[in-house]
Amino acid sequence: MLEPLNKVIEKSSGDHEASFVDLHDSSRNHSVCDSGKWVEGVFTQFPNEVAFVHPNARGHQNAADHVTSALLNAISPN
């Protein structure tokens, strides 16, 4: 589900002269079911309702590192 959503957001960002920072590859093997997870799941009445997932501190750090790198690359004089 994440990959098609990322493609839509990436296309939309290009339409608005913005850059898309794709975290899919960097967060591989860090899902809510992995031992080194970077996200936490929230279940209200498992398994009957949809689970919501949000980044934990390690997930936020991964995003911050990639966004920082993209920003620095965008403003670096070349």
Side-chain angles (χ1 to χ4, degrees), residues 5-59:
L5 177 61
N6 281 347
K7 295 294 180 195
V8 170
I9 295 170
E10 183 175 20
K11 181 188 180 309
S12 179
S13 67
D15 294 343
H16 299 282
E17 298 181 25
S19 296
F20 174 67
V21 179
D22 190 348
L23 302 176
H24 184 265
D25 287 341
S26 66
S27 61
R28 188 179 313 265
N29 298 321
H30 296 287
S31 75
V32 71
C33 296
D34 293 316
S35 61
K37 64 184 177 179
W38 289 355
V39 292
E40 302 295 335
V42 177
F43 300 96
T44 53
Q45 292 181 337
F46 181 76
N48 299 325
E49 292 188 16
V50 176
F52 296 97
V53 178
H54 61 89
N56 60 25
R58 288 174 283 188

Side-chain angles (χ1 to χ4, degrees), residues 55-74:
N56 60 25
R58 288 174 283 188
H60 281 293
Q61 186 64 59
N62 177 60
D65 291 345
H66 283 81
V67 170
T68 299
S69 178
L71 286 168
L72 292 174
N73 286 334

